[in-house]
Amino acid sequence: MVAQCVKCGNYEWNKIVEDNRITCPNCGYSWKFNKLPLFILTGCSGVGKTTTAHEFMLSTGDIVVLEADFFFNIMPHETQEDYLQQIEMLEDLSKNIMHAGKPVLWAMAGNLDKLNKVYNRQFYSDIFCLALVCEEETLRRRMMQGRGISDEEWIQSSIQYNNYFKTHTVIYDMPFDVCDTEGKKTGEIVEEVKKWVKEKMAGSK
Ligand SMILES: [Zn+2]
């Protein structure tokens, strides 16, 4: 909606975005929109993204919190191109929500490499990622006892992904910050997420 041209009816994904102004290349009509950052709460499977995001959602009305599995559930998810399309739709949907004045935070484990590769990226001032991490034993316990996962391959891949976030600052071309959740209560983690969002909002334009 926000990027559709009401003057000539052009709904193609060919708009020109400069600052907070969208221009239709077909007829030259232009209009303002709310340009905000997009937030991603990431981390490996079992680290506590959903728990944190849910508690965060309940404790604030300043940001719209959504779960990226939504796209997995309704769209094809076999190939990298499928996942690229999911991210395209994620950013398309989010830009319409943020036009109402609130940024969007997605709980999302993977596909961080695709966030900068889609057409809809240009509608955001920034994309900020925060990775939740914890100790390997905590992760193993959460996955096995907390969620009843016994698939050792799944557990190992999650441990590796968790380790990646603990030992890097960039994944593909996407920089991320880290929130170490080890030994912390959900409320404490949520406070850290809030502080992180506030800092990023203040530094983005
Ligand atoms: Zn137009």
Side-chain angles (χ1 to χ4, degrees), residues 1-5 10 12 14-25 28-35 95-96 98-99 119-120 122-123:
M1 177 65 80
V2 73
Q4 283 182 14
C5 178
N10 171 19
E12 297 291 325
N14 64 353
K15 304 303 184 299
I16 299 152
V17 181
E18 285 167 314
D19 296 328
N20 63 341
R21 183 165 284 279
I22 298 169
T23 302
C24 171
Y29 183 58
S30 79
W31 59 99
K32 276 186 170 180
F33 77 111
N34 260 333
K35 193 176 204 177
K95 77 176 193 274
N96 287 282
M98 83 178 170
H99 183 67
Y119 162 80
N120 281 289
Q122 64 182 329
F123 294 92

mmCIF file of all heavy atoms in Angstrom, residues 1-5 10 12 14-25 28-35 95-96 98-99 119-120 122-123:
data_model
loop_
_atom_site.group_PDB
_atom_site.id
_atom_site.type_symbol
_atom_site.label_atom_id
_atom_site.label_comp_id
_atom_site.label_asym_id
_atom_site.label_seq_id
_atom_site.Cartn_x
_atom_site.Cartn_y
_atom_site.Cartn_z
ATOM 1 N N MET A 1 0.820 -1.218 0.000
ATOM 2 C CA MET A 1 0.000 0.000 0.000
ATOM 3 C C MET A 1 0.857 1.274 0.000
ATOM 4 O O MET A 1 0.666 2.150 -0.831
ATOM 5 C CB MET A 1 -0.942 -0.023 1.218
ATOM 6 C CG MET A 1 -1.798 1.226 1.365
ATOM 7 S SD MET A 1 -2.981 1.445 -0.005
ATOM 8 C CE MET A 1 -4.272 0.311 0.489
ATOM 9 N N VAL A 2 1.796 1.335 0.920
ATOM 10 C CA VAL A 2 2.560 2.578 1.090
ATOM 11 C C VAL A 2 3.383 2.916 -0.159
ATOM 12 O O VAL A 2 3.647 4.085 -0.442
ATOM 13 C CB VAL A 2 3.450 2.534 2.365
ATOM 14 C CG1 VAL A 2 4.658 1.611 2.198
ATOM 15 C CG2 VAL A 2 3.911 3.925 2.758
ATOM 16 N N ALA A 3 3.743 1.895 -0.939
ATOM 17 C CA ALA A 3 4.586 2.148 -2.110
ATOM 18 C C ALA A 3 3.815 2.078 -3.426
ATOM 19 O O ALA A 3 4.406 2.079 -4.501
ATOM 20 C CB ALA A 3 5.756 1.159 -2.129
ATOM 21 N N GLN A 4 2.497 2.027 -3.340
ATOM 22 C CA GLN A 4 1.704 2.030 -4.571
ATOM 23 C C GLN A 4 1.456 3.467 -5.025
ATOM 24 O O GLN A 4 1.156 4.333 -4.207
ATOM 25 C CB GLN A 4 0.356 1.348 -4.337
ATOM 26 C CG GLN A 4 0.469 -0.171 -4.304
ATOM 27 C CD GLN A 4 -0.870 -0.846 -4.111
ATOM 28 O OE1 GLN A 4 -1.912 -0.235 -4.248
ATOM 29 N NE2 GLN A 4 -0.828 -2.114 -3.770
ATOM 30 N N CYS A 5 1.568 3.682 -6.312
ATOM 31 C CA CYS A 5 1.317 5.032 -6.832
ATOM 32 C C CYS A 5 -0.182 5.193 -7.097
ATOM 33 O O CYS A 5 -0.751 4.496 -7.937
ATOM 34 C CB CYS A 5 2.103 5.276 -8.125
ATOM 35 S SG CYS A 5 1.770 6.911 -8.805
ATOM 36 N N ASN A 10 0.537 2.609 -10.584
ATOM 37 C CA ASN A 10 1.706 1.742 -10.685
ATOM 38 C C ASN A 10 1.963 1.015 -9.361
ATOM 39 O O ASN A 10 2.335 1.638 -8.378
ATOM 40 C CB ASN A 10 2.919 2.607 -11.085
ATOM 41 C CG ASN A 10 4.227 1.848 -10.998
ATOM 42 O OD1 ASN A 10 4.251 0.621 -10.987
ATOM 43 N ND2 ASN A 10 5.328 2.588 -10.937
ATOM 44 N N GLU A 12 4.068 -1.667 -9.381
ATOM 45 C CA GLU A 12 5.309 -2.427 -9.585
ATOM 46 C C GLU A 12 6.330 -2.082 -8.510
ATOM 47 O O GLU A 12 6.325 -0.976 -7.962
ATOM 48 C CB GLU A 12 5.914 -2.080 -10.959
ATOM 49 C CG GLU A 12 5.056 -2.452 -12.158
ATOM 50 C CD GLU A 12 4.947 -3.945 -12.354
ATOM 51 O OE1 GLU A 12 5.948 -4.653 -12.073
ATOM 52 O OE2 GLU A 12 3.862 -4.405 -12.762
ATOM 53 N N ASN A 14 9.194 -0.846 -8.467
ATOM 54 C CA ASN A 14 10.215 -0.083 -9.200
ATOM 55 C C ASN A 14 10.325 1.341 -8.662
ATOM 56 O O ASN A 14 10.811 2.235 -9.342
ATOM 57 C CB ASN A 14 9.877 -0.054 -10.709
ATOM 58 C CG ASN A 14 8.567 0.690 -11.000
ATOM 59 O OD1 ASN A 14 7.838 1.085 -10.093
ATOM 60 N ND2 ASN A 14 8.259 0.868 -12.273
ATOM 61 N N LYS A 15 9.873 1.552 -7.448
ATOM 62 C CA LYS A 15 9.851 2.915 -6.908
ATOM 63 C C LYS A 15 11.266 3.374 -6.527
ATOM 64 O O LYS A 15 12.148 2.559 -6.231
ATOM 65 C CB LYS A 15 8.940 2.998 -5.678
ATOM 66 C CG LYS A 15 7.514 2.524 -5.916
ATOM 67 C CD LYS A 15 6.829 3.265 -7.034
ATOM 68 C CE LYS A 15 5.372 2.846 -7.188
ATOM 69 N NZ LYS A 15 5.176 1.414 -7.517
ATOM 70 N N ILE A 16 11.414 4.692 -6.545
ATOM 71 C CA ILE A 16 12.690 5.298 -6.162
ATOM 72 C C ILE A 16 12.513 5.852 -4.743
ATOM 73 O O ILE A 16 11.557 6.595 -4.484
ATOM 74 C CB ILE A 16 13.067 6.431 -7.147
ATOM 75 C CG1 ILE A 16 13.212 5.839 -8.563
ATOM 76 C CG2 ILE A 16 14.332 7.146 -6.706
ATOM 77 C CD1 ILE A 16 12.923 6.835 -9.660
ATOM 78 N N VAL A 17 13.410 5.490 -3.853
ATOM 79 C CA VAL A 17 13.304 5.945 -2.462
ATOM 80 C C VAL A 17 14.500 6.818 -2.124
ATOM 81 O O VAL A 17 15.651 6.386 -2.263
ATOM 82 C CB VAL A 17 13.234 4.754 -1.485
ATOM 83 C CG1 VAL A 17 13.107 5.243 -0.045
ATOM 84 C CG2 VAL A 17 12.071 3.838 -1.833
ATOM 85 N N GLU A 18 14.198 8.060 -1.735
ATOM 86 C CA GLU A 18 15.255 8.970 -1.278
ATOM 87 C C GLU A 18 14.802 9.545 0.052
ATOM 88 O O GLU A 18 13.736 10.173 0.127
ATOM 89 C CB GLU A 18 15.483 10.078 -2.303
ATOM 90 C CG GLU A 18 16.243 9.587 -3.525
ATOM 91 C CD GLU A 18 16.200 10.567 -4.687
ATOM 92 O OE1 GLU A 18 15.118 11.080 -4.997
ATOM 93 O OE2 GLU A 18 17.269 10.805 -5.281
ATOM 94 N N ASP A 19 15.630 9.329 1.074
ATOM 95 C CA ASP A 19 15.254 9.701 2.449
ATOM 96 C C ASP A 19 13.867 9.123 2.756
ATOM 97 O O ASP A 19 13.677 7.936 2.636
ATOM 98 C CB ASP A 19 15.323 11.218 2.639
ATOM 99 C CG ASP A 19 16.750 11.731 2.477
ATOM 100 O OD1 ASP A 19 17.682 10.982 2.826
ATOM 101 O OD2 ASP A 19 16.936 12.845 1.965
ATOM 102 N N ASN A 20 12.911 10.010 3.117
ATOM 103 C CA ASN A 20 11.579 9.495 3.447
ATOM 104 C C ASN A 20 10.557 9.827 2.352
ATOM 105 O O ASN A 20 9.387 10.044 2.616
ATOM 106 C CB ASN A 20 11.115 10.033 4.810
ATOM 107 C CG ASN A 20 10.966 11.545 4.796
ATOM 108 O OD1 ASN A 20 11.520 12.210 3.925
ATOM 109 N ND2 ASN A 20 10.211 12.077 5.735
ATOM 110 N N ARG A 21 11.043 9.831 1.122
ATOM 111 C CA ARG A 21 10.174 10.146 -0.005
ATOM 112 C C ARG A 21 10.225 9.029 -1.053
ATOM 113 O O ARG A 21 11.299 8.558 -1.424
ATOM 114 C CB ARG A 21 10.598 11.493 -0.615
ATOM 115 C CG ARG A 21 9.738 11.984 -1.763
ATOM 116 C CD ARG A 21 9.975 13.453 -2.055
ATOM 117 N NE ARG A 21 9.334 14.333 -1.068
ATOM 118 C CZ ARG A 21 8.041 14.667 -1.093
ATOM 119 N NH1 ARG A 21 7.245 14.225 -2.050
ATOM 120 N NH2 ARG A 21 7.539 15.475 -0.178
ATOM 121 N N ILE A 22 9.042 8.648 -1.503
ATOM 122 C CA ILE A 22 8.932 7.617 -2.541
ATOM 123 C C ILE A 22 8.510 8.305 -3.839
ATOM 124 O O ILE A 22 7.600 9.136 -3.830
ATOM 125 C CB ILE A 22 7.858 6.566 -2.160
ATOM 126 C CG1 ILE A 22 8.242 5.853 -0.866
ATOM 127 C CG2 ILE A 22 7.654 5.547 -3.291
ATOM 128 C CD1 ILE A 22 7.133 4.988 -0.274
ATOM 129 N N THR A 23 9.181 7.982 -4.930
ATOM 130 C CA THR A 23 8.816 8.562 -6.226
ATOM 131 C C THR A 23 8.466 7.450 -7.212
ATOM 132 O O THR A 23 9.158 6.433 -7.281
ATOM 133 C CB THR A 23 9.975 9.410 -6.794
ATOM 134 O OG1 THR A 23 10.294 10.439 -5.856
ATOM 135 C CG2 THR A 23 9.604 10.035 -8.127
ATOM 136 N N CYS A 24 7.391 7.664 -7.948
ATOM 137 C CA CYS A 24 6.984 6.720 -8.992
ATOM 138 C C CYS A 24 7.755 7.067 -10.266
ATOM 139 O O CYS A 24 7.640 8.188 -10.764
ATOM 140 C CB CYS A 24 5.481 6.832 -9.234
ATOM 141 S SG CYS A 24 4.919 5.910 -10.677
ATOM 142 N N PRO A 25 8.537 6.134 -10.813
ATOM 143 C CA PRO A 25 9.319 6.449 -12.008
ATOM 144 C C PRO A 25 8.446 6.562 -13.264
ATOM 145 O O PRO A 25 8.863 7.150 -14.258
ATOM 146 C CB PRO A 25 10.283 5.262 -12.125
ATOM 147 C CG PRO A 25 9.575 4.132 -11.463
ATOM 148 C CD PRO A 25 8.732 4.744 -10.369
ATOM 149 N N GLY A 28 6.197 10.227 -12.087
ATOM 150 C CA GLY A 28 6.897 11.291 -11.374
ATOM 151 C C GLY A 28 6.256 11.729 -10.070
ATOM 152 O O GLY A 28 6.801 12.549 -9.334
ATOM 153 N N TYR A 29 5.081 11.178 -9.773
ATOM 154 C CA TYR A 29 4.399 11.531 -8.507
ATOM 155 C C TYR A 29 5.248 11.045 -7.332
ATOM 156 O O TYR A 29 5.867 9.980 -7.406
ATOM 157 C CB TYR A 29 3.017 10.865 -8.492
ATOM 158 C CG TYR A 29 2.176 11.207 -7.280
ATOM 159 C CD1 TYR A 29 1.847 12.522 -6.971
ATOM 160 C CD2 TYR A 29 1.681 10.193 -6.452
ATOM 161 C CE1 TYR A 29 1.065 12.825 -5.869
ATOM 162 C CE2 TYR A 29 0.885 10.485 -5.345
ATOM 163 C CZ TYR A 29 0.589 11.802 -5.063
ATOM 164 O OH TYR A 29 -0.185 12.105 -3.971
ATOM 165 N N SER A 30 5.274 11.854 -6.250
ATOM 166 C CA SER A 30 6.057 11.422 -5.088
ATOM 167 C C SER A 30 5.313 11.723 -3.797
ATOM 168 O O SER A 30 4.450 12.617 -3.757
ATOM 169 C CB SER A 30 7.440 12.070 -5.103
ATOM 170 O OG SER A 30 7.372 13.395 -4.631
ATOM 171 N N TRP A 31 5.619 10.966 -2.776
ATOM 172 C CA TRP A 31 4.934 11.122 -1.486
ATOM 173 C C TRP A 31 5.873 10.697 -0.364
ATOM 174 O O TRP A 31 6.839 9.980 -0.576
ATOM 175 C CB TRP A 31 3.638 10.315 -1.453
ATOM 176 C CG TRP A 31 3.802 8.831 -1.665
ATOM 177 C CD1 TRP A 31 3.837 7.866 -0.689
ATOM 178 C CD2 TRP A 31 3.928 8.128 -2.911
ATOM 179 N NE1 TRP A 31 3.984 6.626 -1.251
ATOM 180 C CE2 TRP A 31 4.039 6.752 -2.612
ATOM 181 C CE3 TRP A 31 3.966 8.534 -4.260
ATOM 182 C CZ2 TRP A 31 4.191 5.776 -3.610
ATOM 183 C CZ3 TRP A 31 4.120 7.555 -5.242
ATOM 184 C CH2 TRP A 31 4.224 6.207 -4.907
ATOM 185 N N LYS A 32 5.530 11.200 0.833
ATOM 186 C CA LYS A 32 6.361 10.930 2.006
ATOM 187 C C LYS A 32 5.910 9.652 2.719
ATOM 188 O O LYS A 32 4.721 9.308 2.695
ATOM 189 C CB LYS A 32 6.258 12.088 2.995
ATOM 190 C CG LYS A 32 7.186 13.238 2.684
ATOM 191 C CD LYS A 32 7.092 14.255 3.806
ATOM 192 C CE LYS A 32 8.166 15.322 3.693
ATOM 193 N NZ LYS A 32 8.056 16.293 4.782
ATOM 194 N N PHE A 33 6.837 8.996 3.358
ATOM 195 C CA PHE A 33 6.464 7.849 4.202
ATOM 196 C C PHE A 33 7.350 7.859 5.446
ATOM 197 O O PHE A 33 8.352 8.574 5.505
ATOM 198 C CB PHE A 33 6.595 6.537 3.429
ATOM 199 C CG PHE A 33 8.015 6.047 3.277
ATOM 200 C CD1 PHE A 33 8.448 4.895 3.937
ATOM 201 C CD2 PHE A 33 8.931 6.734 2.495
ATOM 202 C CE1 PHE A 33 9.753 4.442 3.808
ATOM 203 C CE2 PHE A 33 10.242 6.290 2.368
ATOM 204 C CZ PHE A 33 10.646 5.142 3.019
ATOM 205 N N ASN A 34 6.963 7.075 6.436
ATOM 206 C CA ASN A 34 7.727 6.954 7.675
ATOM 207 C C ASN A 34 8.855 5.953 7.486
ATOM 208 O O ASN A 34 8.602 4.761 7.325
ATOM 209 C CB ASN A 34 6.831 6.449 8.809
ATOM 210 C CG ASN A 34 6.373 7.571 9.707
ATOM 211 O OD1 ASN A 34 7.053 8.594 9.828
ATOM 212 N ND2 ASN A 34 5.234 7.384 10.324
ATOM 213 N N LYS A 35 10.081 6.460 7.488
ATOM 214 C CA LYS A 35 11.226 5.562 7.318
ATOM 215 C C LYS A 35 11.839 5.290 8.686
ATOM 216 O O LYS A 35 12.262 6.213 9.378
ATOM 217 C CB LYS A 35 12.256 6.224 6.406
ATOM 218 C CG LYS A 35 13.334 5.281 5.912
ATOM 219 C CD LYS A 35 14.247 6.020 4.945
ATOM 220 C CE LYS A 35 14.933 5.051 4.002
ATOM 221 N NZ LYS A 35 15.766 5.758 3.022
ATOM 222 N N LYS A 95 7.268 -2.630 6.058
ATOM 223 C CA LYS A 95 7.313 -1.209 5.671
ATOM 224 C C LYS A 95 5.931 -0.571 5.767
ATOM 225 O O LYS A 95 5.807 0.612 6.058
ATOM 226 C CB LYS A 95 7.927 -1.034 4.279
ATOM 227 C CG LYS A 95 7.043 -1.367 3.091
ATOM 228 C CD LYS A 95 7.783 -1.028 1.794
ATOM 229 C CE LYS A 95 6.904 -1.033 0.563
ATOM 230 N NZ LYS A 95 6.768 -2.360 -0.050
ATOM 231 N N ASN A 96 4.895 -1.360 5.528
ATOM 232 C CA ASN A 96 3.533 -0.841 5.672
ATOM 233 C C ASN A 96 3.166 -0.650 7.136
ATOM 234 O O ASN A 96 2.489 0.307 7.494
ATOM 235 C CB ASN A 96 2.540 -1.791 4.992
ATOM 236 C CG ASN A 96 2.633 -1.709 3.481
ATOM 237 O OD1 ASN A 96 2.116 -0.780 2.886
ATOM 238 N ND2 ASN A 96 3.335 -2.651 2.869
ATOM 239 N N MET A 98 5.365 -0.070 9.608
ATOM 240 C CA MET A 98 6.165 1.018 10.193
ATOM 241 C C MET A 98 5.664 2.390 9.741
ATOM 242 O O MET A 98 5.910 3.387 10.398
ATOM 243 C CB MET A 98 7.653 0.857 9.894
ATOM 244 C CG MET A 98 8.108 1.361 8.558
ATOM 245 S SD MET A 98 9.878 1.174 8.357
ATOM 246 C CE MET A 98 10.021 1.562 6.605
ATOM 247 N N HIS A 99 4.952 2.425 8.615
ATOM 248 C CA HIS A 99 4.410 3.712 8.188
ATOM 249 C C HIS A 99 3.463 4.293 9.241
ATOM 250 O O HIS A 99 3.292 5.509 9.336
ATOM 251 C CB HIS A 99 3.700 3.610 6.838
ATOM 252 C CG HIS A 99 3.202 4.938 6.370
ATOM 253 N ND1 HIS A 99 4.060 5.958 6.015
ATOM 254 C CD2 HIS A 99 1.953 5.449 6.291
ATOM 255 C CE1 HIS A 99 3.352 7.026 5.713
ATOM 256 N NE2 HIS A 99 2.075 6.747 5.873
ATOM 257 N N TYR A 119 14.555 -6.019 -2.780
ATOM 258 C CA TYR A 119 14.081 -4.705 -3.243
ATOM 259 C C TYR A 119 13.591 -3.829 -2.099
ATOM 260 O O TYR A 119 13.868 -2.631 -2.033
ATOM 261 C CB TYR A 119 12.955 -4.928 -4.273
ATOM 262 C CG TYR A 119 12.097 -3.713 -4.509
ATOM 263 C CD1 TYR A 119 12.529 -2.683 -5.351
ATOM 264 C CD2 TYR A 119 10.846 -3.582 -3.887
ATOM 265 C CE1 TYR A 119 11.751 -1.560 -5.560
ATOM 266 C CE2 TYR A 119 10.062 -2.461 -4.094
ATOM 267 C CZ TYR A 119 10.515 -1.453 -4.929
ATOM 268 O OH TYR A 119 9.740 -0.342 -5.123
ATOM 269 N N ASN A 120 12.852 -4.447 -1.177
ATOM 270 C CA ASN A 120 12.232 -3.662 -0.102
ATOM 271 C C ASN A 120 13.205 -3.122 0.946
ATOM 272 O O ASN A 120 12.812 -2.338 1.809
ATOM 273 C CB ASN A 120 11.117 -4.475 0.558
ATOM 274 C CG ASN A 120 9.841 -4.472 -0.275
ATOM 275 O OD1 ASN A 120 9.160 -3.461 -0.370
ATOM 276 N ND2 ASN A 120 9.554 -5.593 -0.925
ATOM 277 N N GLN A 122 15.353 -0.893 0.645
ATOM 278 C CA GLN A 122 15.553 0.553 0.508
ATOM 279 C C GLN A 122 14.570 1.393 1.339
ATOM 280 O O GLN A 122 14.787 2.598 1.517
ATOM 281 C CB GLN A 122 15.447 0.951 -0.964
ATOM 282 C CG GLN A 122 14.068 0.697 -1.553
ATOM 283 C CD GLN A 122 13.971 1.042 -3.026
ATOM 284 O OE1 GLN A 122 14.649 1.936 -3.510
ATOM 285 N NE2 GLN A 122 13.136 0.315 -3.754
ATOM 286 N N PHE A 123 13.513 0.763 1.836
ATOM 287 C CA PHE A 123 12.526 1.516 2.614
ATOM 288 C C PHE A 123 12.923 1.683 4.086
ATOM 289 O O PHE A 123 12.235 2.349 4.839
ATOM 290 C CB PHE A 123 11.150 0.839 2.513
ATOM 291 C CG PHE A 123 10.585 0.880 1.121
ATOM 292 C CD1 PHE A 123 10.818 -0.159 0.230
ATOM 293 C CD2 PHE A 123 9.867 1.987 0.681
ATOM 294 C CE1 PHE A 123 10.320 -0.109 -1.069
ATOM 295 C CE2 PHE A 123 9.367 2.047 -0.608
ATOM 296 C CZ PHE A 123 9.598 0.999 -1.491
#
